[in-house]
């Protein structure tokens, strides 16, 4: 419909101009036996296009074998964390106009998880750490019959930030500790533990604090802030990790 | 066929889909029966996570409310095409559904007394339409995210068996005592390209919607209607498939959703001159009229030259008077969407919006137990469907906002319970000798194809013609056009080829398979839409602008009867009718 309108308007304002950018994408095809390598693609884009749009254009118009995960296309499902110009971001939340277009653009898979194909990594180790921290409510009180548990606005606000996590792995795979020690739980697992440790309805904070007191737990964190910078949901991850550390020292929530 | 490894599994219950409906089903079924969940996405990537505004339940936490009012609103909102017994179940069980989620850990927003907070939403009213009521339970504007996370967390707790990134591509039916029953699912494992056959006693489809038949949509790239398409190809019927919901407030040009919760919190739609135009169309509840009505009014404003922007092709959602505090605490995500994708800050500027293809009211017909029907009243024993892929029908011709997150919980739970109960006494139906044959052949033919057409080009053309001809307003002429276009696209589709011939993570191949489902579904949507010569809910025929209860107060039932490649849909689709269950509420004119 919008097309008709454009044609019908005689003095239509000038539409934003498409321009060509070069995307350097780190390719890897497990079937080929070749090492991963960089390949350059020229693609026509608009300033407001997302990196995801550019990847789709390449896949749909130039090379169908280019492989990446995506679903929602607006930053809520966590499918498309990747390294864009050396920084972990969601491809669907990174607009071209927000990148330095004077430089070539580099896109590669997130680091620290086994590379499967092009921009796809094996997420299983990431989810395994998540499962370890018992990421589910463990409340021993019996809720009032057919009613919700009561929680004050302040108690609810206490863990609001860490409920936003979409398990995209941008944080964990930006962490230098995780790169060198794949056993480290990583920031995402700690964020999801935090979400329950500080939920006033939960009774097993202690168990999770014990788990995170492990040698692969929170003490490995060196506060480099990479995770907080990477998080597309704006979660204050480093602060959450610090809160967990303090709770371990206190011995309770 | 020889080169493909085929793996065999056996489970009592197989659930296809791990969105809200699939995981809610799994939470019931897994503790009672040997259960597998097959999902093409990691569960937490499912589109339930994109839902923003809330989940309806007459908890009456903040003002007087009851489930009977909710039932009435659902029926009226659905333009009386809702089965009234089903709507009553939905509204009654809503209360438990919300409490279940809270008890499972869902962090709802709270009232000052610490109870679950509630907000207003379109079409939900006090005492049969008197005024908007606060019925939507919510967690900021990420209610769906919280539901999806909470259900996933509880699946982790229960150790549910997930097969992640497995694409179900076929349903195997077998004959037992003269009756067709489901016997298994054939799936492709994305990581390896290998084929898995899941032998099952009971199968639940929870595969979500198919918004990707349209170009402008709030739906994810992956919502290609696979489950609906699989069932359709098995010659099982689809119900009310012509009813698709266009949500009023998609970000203009992008389709990304801005929740109706914004209007629930007081945001206002304005045209170019700043007029609050909904006052003219729905004087009582104005901007909180149901979606079908608001979407039409918006398009009407634009058509009559009152649209805003350089091309006068959108209207404005004005949130500026809500203040930064409300936007940041109650609507933070959509505030960020407008900032990120349009560079507009809703705190200081109104946001350009236009309707976006949002929700499939129709789908796989089920009864109130989530059992799939093979005609108006015969159940297929052991086959279940729940969530957006199903049609119970609780949404009729137009779903009310917040009733889908409710639907997936109520009927997801029912499907899980009933499947677990069914398998207690059922035997494993026999499988044919090579159950995987259809899938293996289909995939091979895509791999071998040397045609000149591209999947992406055909999909784009389909989405464009659907937007142009089968959107908010339809006429026989536009529908005839899109019908013709679809046939042409089908012929082109027979001549596609794909680039990626590899096995591992072959998303190129899967996009081709998904396009096949989209074409099939779009065709039946359009064919059923042409056949319904009235306007009701989301289906607005300009050539038949009125609701016609005498001839059309009934559900469409569409059946695939022949070769889908024949040019005339009449040669391969049969349309029939199913009566609407009317209990206490006689159809009335829908005024707000
Ligand atoms: C942006 C947006 C906002 C919304 N907001 C609200 C709201 O506020 N309130 C409300 O009530 N409703 C809302 N809705 C509607 C509601 O969110 C959806 O209708 C509902 O979540 C659908 O849930 P589902 O479980 O049926 O499907 P989905 O959550 O879409 O899940 C589908 C599942 O099926 C799987 N699947 C699909 N095909 C296959 C296959 N071939 N093989 C294996 N697995 C497969 C997928 O992996 C996925 O796990 C919103 C919808 C959108 C798009
Ligand atoms: S904390 Fe942020 S970056 Fe880490 S997984 Fe969650 S959403 Fe992604
Ligand atoms: S595609 Fe969902 S987060 Fe990017």
């Amino acid at each position: 419909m919008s097309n008709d309108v454009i044609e019908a308007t005689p003095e239509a304002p000038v539409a934003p101009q498409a321009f060509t950018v070069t995307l350097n994408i780190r390719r890897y095809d497990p079937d080929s036996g070749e090492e991963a390598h960089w390949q350059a693609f020229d693609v026509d884009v608009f300033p407001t296009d997302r990196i995801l749009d550019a990847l789709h254009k390449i896949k749909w118009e130039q090379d169908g074998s280019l492989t990446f995960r995506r679903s929602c296309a607006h930053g809520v499902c966590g499918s498309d964390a990747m390294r864009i110009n050396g920084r972990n971001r969601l491809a669907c939340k990174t607009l071209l106009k927000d990148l330095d277009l004077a430089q070539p653009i580099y896109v590669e898979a997130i680091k620290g998880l086994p590379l499967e194909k092009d921009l796809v990594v094996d997420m299983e180790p990431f989810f395994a750490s998540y499962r370890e921290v018992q990421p589910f409510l463990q409340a021993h009180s019996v809720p009032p019959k057919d009613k919700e548990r009561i929680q004050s606005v302040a108690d609810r606000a206490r863990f609001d930030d860490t409920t936003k996590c979409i398990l995209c792995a941008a944080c964990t795979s930006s962490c230098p500790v995780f790169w060198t020690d794949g056993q480290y739980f990583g920031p995402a697992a700690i964020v999801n533990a935090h979400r329950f440790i500080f939920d006033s309805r939960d009774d097993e904070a202690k168990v999770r604090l014990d788990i995170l007191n492990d040698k692969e737990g929170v003490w490995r964190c060196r506060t480099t802030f990479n995770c907080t910078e990477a998080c597309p949901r704006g979660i204050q991850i480093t602060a959450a990790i610090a809160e967990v550390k303090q709770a371990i020292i206190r011995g309770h929530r | 066929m020889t080169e493909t490894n085929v793996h065999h599994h056996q489970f009592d219950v197989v659930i296809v889909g791990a969105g809200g409906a699939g995981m809610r089903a799994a939470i019931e079924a897994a503790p009672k029966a040997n259960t597998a969940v097959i999902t093409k996405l990691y569960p937490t990537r499912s589109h339930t996570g994109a839902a923003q505004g809330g989940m309806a339940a007459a908890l009456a936490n903040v003002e007087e409310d009851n489930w009977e009012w909710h039932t009435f609103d659902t029926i009226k909102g659905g333009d009386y095409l809702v089965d009234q017994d089903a709507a009553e179940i939905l509204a009654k069980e809503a209360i438990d559904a919300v409490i279940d989620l809270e008890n499972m850990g869902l962090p709802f927003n709270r009232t000052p007394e610490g109870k679950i907070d509630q907000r207003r939403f379109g079409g939900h009213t006090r005492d049969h339409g008197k005024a908007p009521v606060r019925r939507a339970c919510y967690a900021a504007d990420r209610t769906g995210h919280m539901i999806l996370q909470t259900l996933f967390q509880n699946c982790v707790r229960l150790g549910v068996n997930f097969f992640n990134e497995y694409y179900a591509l076929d349903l195997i039916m077998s004959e037992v005592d003269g009756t067709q029953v489901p016997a298994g699912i054939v799936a492709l494992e994305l990581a390896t390209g290998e084929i898995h056959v899941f032998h099952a006693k009971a199968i639940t489809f929870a595969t979500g919607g198919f918004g990707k038949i349209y170009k402008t949509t709030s739906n994810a790239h992956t919502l290609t209607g696979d489950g609906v398409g699989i069932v359709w190809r098995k010659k099982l019927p689809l119900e009310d498939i012509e009813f698709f919901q266009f949500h009023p407030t998609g970000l203009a040009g992008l389709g990304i959703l801005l929740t109706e919760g914004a209007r629930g919190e007081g945001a206002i739609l304005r045209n170019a001159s700043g007029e609050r135009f909904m006052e003219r169309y729905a004087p009582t509840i104005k901007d909180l009229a149901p979606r079908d009505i608001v979407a039409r009014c918006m398009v009407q404003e634009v058509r009559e030259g009152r649209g805003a922007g350089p091309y006068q092709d959108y209207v404005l959602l004005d949130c500026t008077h809500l203040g930064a505090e409300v936007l940041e605490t109650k609507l933070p995500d959509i505030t960020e969407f407008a900032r990120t994708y349009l560079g507009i800050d809703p705190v200081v500027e109104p946001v350009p919006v236009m309707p976006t293809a949002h929700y499939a009211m129709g789908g796989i017909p089920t009864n109130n137990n989530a059992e799939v029907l093979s005609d108006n009243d015969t159940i297929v024993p052991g086959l279940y469907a729940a969530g957006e892929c199903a049609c119970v029908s609780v949404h009729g011709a137009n779903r009310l906002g917040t009733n889908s997150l409710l639907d997936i919980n109520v009927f997801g739970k029912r499907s899980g319970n009933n499947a677990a109960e069914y398998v207690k006494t059922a035997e494993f139906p026999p499988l044919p000798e090579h159950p995987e044959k259809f899938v293996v052949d289909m995939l091979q033919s895509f791999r071998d194809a040397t045609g000149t057409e591209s999947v992406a080009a055909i999909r784009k053309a389909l989405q464009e013609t659907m937007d142009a001809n089968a959107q908010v307003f339809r006429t026989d002429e536009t529908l005839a056009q899109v019908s013709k276009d679809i046939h042409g696209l089908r012929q082109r589709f027979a001549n596609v080829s794909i680039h990626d011939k590899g096995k591992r993570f072959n998303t190129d191949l899967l996009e081709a398979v998904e396009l096949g489902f989209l074409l099939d579904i779009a065709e039946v949507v359009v064919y059923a839409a042409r056949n319904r010569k009235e306007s009701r809910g989301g289906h607005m025929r300009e050539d038949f602008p009125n609701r016609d209860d005498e001839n059309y107060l009934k559900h469409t039932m569409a059946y695939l009867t022949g070769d889908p490649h024949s040019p005339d849909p009449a040669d391969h689709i049969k349309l029939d009718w199913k009566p609407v269950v009317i209990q206490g509420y006689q159809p009335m004119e829908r005024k707000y």
Side-chain angles (χ1 to χ4, degrees):
Chain A
M1 222 193 67
S2 54
N3 282 337
D4 302 348
V5 176
I6 292 171
E7 275 156 26
T9 315
E11 60 279 297
V14 205
Q17 287 290 304
F19 59 97
T20 307
V21 289
T22 304
L23 250 64
N24 293 287
I25 303 177
R26 195 153 184 269
R27 304 292 308 267
Y28 173 64
D29 175 5
D31 294 329
S32 74
E34 281 171 40
E35 298 276 293
H37 60 277
W38 291 95
Q39 184 178 358
F41 293 93
D42 286 341
V43 51
D44 291 341
V45 292
F46 291 97
T48 50
D49 279 348
R50 302 156 255 199
I51 287 288
L52 181 63
D53 298 318
L55 293 173
H56 270 146
K57 276 202 128 183
I58 295 169
K59 184 175 181 69
W60 293 341
E61 292 165 15
Q62 300 182 37
D63 182 349
S65 72
L66 179 66
T67 303
F68 47 92
R69 294 191 176 98
R70 90 290 187 253
S71 185
C72 72
H74 65 285
V76 295
C77 78
S79 295
D80 59 344
M82 46 189 83
R83 235 169 121 78
I84 300 168
N85 288 349
R87 238 190 85 189
N88 281 4
R89 318 168 187 238
L90 298 176
C92 66
K93 246 188 132 170
T94 307
L95 271 55
L96 282 150
K97 68 179 173 60
D98 299 330
L99 295 174
D100 174 6
L101 294 173
Q103 307 292 323
I105 299 169
Y106 289 90
V107 182
E108 61 190 306
I110 48 178
K111 297 212 291 183
L113 290 161
L115 185 60
E116 295 270 13
K117 183 175 176 182
D118 293 345
L119 304 172
V120 173
V121 297
D122 179 5
M123 294 292 291
E124 192 38 43
F126 172 81
F127 279 102
S129 299
Y130 165 81
R131 288 192 297 264
E132 294 251 331
V133 301
Q134 307 191 0
F136 38 81
L137 187 77
Q138 301 179 65
H140 301 319
S141 64
V142 182
K145 194 174 150 20
D146 301 332
K147 286 264 181 255
E148 67 266 45
R149 289 194 168 82
I150 297 296
Q151 182 168 52
S152 73
V153 172
D155 283 346
R156 165 67 179 77
R158 181 69 189 82
F159 63 102
D160 186 64
D161 201 35
T162 46
T163 64
K164 294 177 188 157
C165 175
I166 54 175
L167 296 168
C168 70
C171 55
T172 298
S173 64
S174 72
C175 173
V177 179
F178 181 75
W179 295 338
T180 50
D181 175 8
Q183 300 301 306
Y184 170 45
F185 279 99
I190 303 172
V191 161
N192 282 279
H194 178 284
R195 180 252 169 273
F196 289 100
I197 292 169
F198 293 96
D199 185 334
S200 59
R201 300 169 297 173
D202 190 273
D203 297 313
E204 292 294 352
K206 185 82 179 59
V207 172
R208 295 192 196 88
L209 292 173
D210 282 349
I211 294 172
L212 292 175
N213 197 15
D214 182 271
K215 70 173 183 2
E216 301 296 353
V218 283
W219 304 113
R220 307 231 52 179
C221 165
R222 307 244 205 72
T223 328
T224 48
F225 281 95
N226 282 21
C227 53
T228 306
E229 277 162 29
C231 179
R233 303 287 292 145
I235 300 172
Q236 297 303 309
I237 305 177
T238 313
I241 296 176
E243 287 177 3
V244 172
K245 287 178 177 170
Q246 285 153 13
I248 292 176
I249 294 168
R250 267 200 309 274
H252 61 87
R253 161 152 77 213
Chain B
M1 196 156 148
T2 40
E3 19 164 342
T4 313
N5 278 333
V6 179
H7 305 264
H8 293 270
H9 311 260
Q10 208 176 49
F11 288 94
D12 291 335
V13 178
V14 167
I15 297 167
V16 187
M23 290 204 281
R24 191 66 191 82
I27 287 171
E28 297 306 314
K32 298 171 210 149
N34 188 17
T35 300
V37 181
I38 302 173
T39 170
K40 76 177 187 183
L41 302 172
Y42 273 92
T44 55
R45 316 280 186 239
S46 303
H47 212 54
T48 292
Q52 302 168 356
M55 168 168 166
L59 301 182
N61 275 1
V62 287
E63 59 181 313
E64 186 186 357
D65 197 10
N66 63 62
W67 60 257
E68 191 273 326
W69 295 352
H70 186 186
T71 307
F72 170 78
D73 289 337
T74 301
I75 293 165
K76 180 179 171 193
D79 223 347
Y80 294 91
L81 199 67
V82 170
D83 286 331
Q84 301 190 356
D85 54 341
E88 186 174 314
I89 290 172
L90 184 80
K92 266 191 192 162
E93 294 185 8
I95 296 164
D96 276 351
V98 166
I99 301 298
D100 277 358
L101 287 170
E102 194 284 334
N103 290 175
M104 280 188 224
L106 199 145
F108 283 107
N109 276 41
R110 300 288 172 156
T111 65
E113 306 82 56
K115 295 197 271 185
I116 294 171
D117 198 11
Q118 299 186 276
R119 61 160 57 129
R120 298 191 180 99
F121 241 82
H124 290 279
T125 69
R126 176 170 59 79
D127 193 9
H128 312 94
K130 298 244 161 66
V133 76
R134 291 172 63 178
R135 186 178 289 147
C137 308
Y138 68 99
D141 56 354
R142 51 177 188 280
T143 314
H145 165 77
M146 296 300 197
I147 290 178
L148 194 68
Q149 296 290 328
T150 301
L151 294 176
F152 182 60
Q153 289 154 3
N154 281 273
C155 287
V156 169
R157 179 174 62 83
L158 295 169
V160 169
N161 227 321
F162 284 108
F163 290 83
N164 295 326
E165 301 196 317
Y166 279 54
Y167 283 63
L169 299 180
D170 193 19
L171 163 69
I172 305 300
M173 300 289 289
S174 289
E175 197 174 297
V176 171
D177 303 330
T179 306
Q180 287 288 317
V181 297
I185 289 288
V186 183
L188 173 88
E189 181 185 2
L190 184 65
T192 60
E194 290 177 355
I195 299 292
H196 294 252
V197 174
F198 292 84
H199 193 193
K201 293 180 182 174
I203 293 172
T204 299
F205 277 90
T207 47
F210 47 84
K212 278 288 154 181
I213 59 175
Y214 291 98
K215 174 166 170 250
T216 309
T217 175
S218 65
N219 282 199
H221 285 287
T222 46
L223 285 174
T224 48
D226 309 358
V228 172
I230 290 170
V231 165
W232 173 244
R233 288 177 185 174
K234 288 286 134 174
K235 313 243 154 132
L236 289 166
L238 299 179
E239 180 174 350
D240 290 341
I241 201 77
E242 65 272 34
F243 291 100
F244 207 92
Q245 175 167 85
F246 300 89
H247 191 295
T249 52
L251 284 183
L254 289 168
I256 296 172
L257 194 78
L258 300 184
T259 177
E260 191 172 293
R263 280 171 285 140
E265 297 291 347
I268 290 170
L269 288 164
R270 300 188 188 280
N271 59 22
S273 63
E275 184 204 3
R276 181 181 196 178
F277 57 86
M278 282 309 300
E279 263 171 355
R280 260 188 282 125
Y281 299 96
T284 312
I285 59 176
K286 307 183 179 88
D287 298 274
L288 286 175
R291 291 175 180 173
D292 55 333
I293 296 176
V294 179
R296 277 196 293 278
C297 299
M298 291 167 66
V299 175
Q300 193 78 16
E301 290 296 299
V302 166
R303 280 180 163 187
E304 291 172 7
R306 293 188 291 276
Y311 306 112
Q312 293 93 44
D313 60 352
Y314 53 73
V315 301
L316 296 164
L317 182 70
D318 183 0
C319 309
T320 53
H321 54 291
L322 301 184
E325 161 87 22
V326 168
L327 286 168
E328 302 288 354
T329 58
K330 293 191 164 169
L331 302 162
D333 282 7
I334 63 161
T335 302
E336 197 198 321
F337 296 155
R339 286 177 184 152
T340 305
Y341 296 107
L342 290 185
I344 283 184
D345 185 353
V347 176
V348 293
E349 251 183 296
V351 186
V353 290
M354 265 318 255
T356 181
H358 186 58
Y359 184 84
M361 267 76 73
I364 306 164
T366 72
N367 64 14
N368 294 339
N369 297 323
E371 293 167 301
V372 171
L373 301 173
S374 61
D375 57 30
N376 285 2
D377 33 44
T378 313
I379 63 161
V380 183
L383 190 60
Y384 301 83
E388 191 168 336
C389 70
C391 179
V392 181
S393 142
V394 287
H395 308 304
N398 171 60
R399 170 175 75 82
L400 287 189
T402 68
N403 265 356
S404 173
L405 290 178
L406 175 56
D407 173 9
I408 62 180
N409 277 286
V410 167
F411 291 97
K413 180 176 180 178
R414 283 180 163 240
S415 73
N417 267 327
N418 293 335
E421 194 55 38
Y422 172 83
V423 299
K424 277 193 197 156
T425 53
E427 304 280 331
F428 278 99
L431 278 177
E433 197 178 341
H434 289 295
E436 71 282 2
K437 185 172 181 335
F438 169 78
V439 169
V440 171
D441 290 352
M442 171 176 67
L443 298 176
Q444 198 56 45
S445 70
F446 280 124
R447 280 204 171 92
D448 294 344
T450 55
T452 51
E453 293 284 353
S454 99
V455 167
I458 298 172
R459 184 178 49 218
K460 183 161 178 273
L462 171 70
Q463 292 167 339
E464 282 174 355
T465 182
M466 287 297 287
D467 265 24
N469 297 305
Q471 220 221 28
V472 174
F473 288 104
R474 305 152 173 204
T475 65
D476 190 63
E477 202 185 327
T478 65
L479 293 168
Q481 179 62 48
V482 56
S483 181
K484 201 168 126 239
D485 292 346
I486 291 171
H487 176 63
L489 293 170
R490 243 188 220 299
Q491 284 176 315
R492 287 172 59 188
F493 188 53
N495 185 34
V496 286
S497 63
I498 58 170
H499 290 182
D500 193 342
K501 312 281 183 189
K503 293 192 76 171
R504 297 166 42 76
F505 286 96
N506 193 338
T507 51
D508 201 25
L509 173 66
L510 284 159
E511 285 191 28
V513 177
E514 289 171 338
L515 176 59
F517 292 129
L518 290 176
L519 285 166
D520 283 4
I521 295 171
E523 180 182 55
V524 59
V525 167
V526 169
Y527 189 56
R530 260 188 110 175
N531 187 54
R532 185 175 282 275
K533 298 183 178 62
E534 65 154 354
S535 291
R536 184 186 295 274
H539 173 68
M540 174 73 196
R541 286 282 302 256
E542 282 183 282
D543 40 357
F544 300 96
N546 298 317
R547 196 174 82 193
D548 174 0
D549 285 341
E550 204 167 311
N551 294 302
Y552 292 103
L553 181 55
K554 49 196 181 185
H555 301 292
T556 299
M557 294 288 274
Y559 297 82
L560 179 66
T561 51
D563 175 10
H565 296 280
S566 72
D568 186 355
D571 295 339
H572 57 268
I573 299 176
K574 185 186 98 183
L575 295 179
D576 199 357
W577 303 107
K578 179 174 181 248
V580 176
V581 179
I582 303 217
Q583 281 181 339
Y585 304 96
Q586 288 310 314
M588 296 184 308
E589 196 197 343
R590 219 162 134 243
K591 278 211 272 212
Y592 286 94

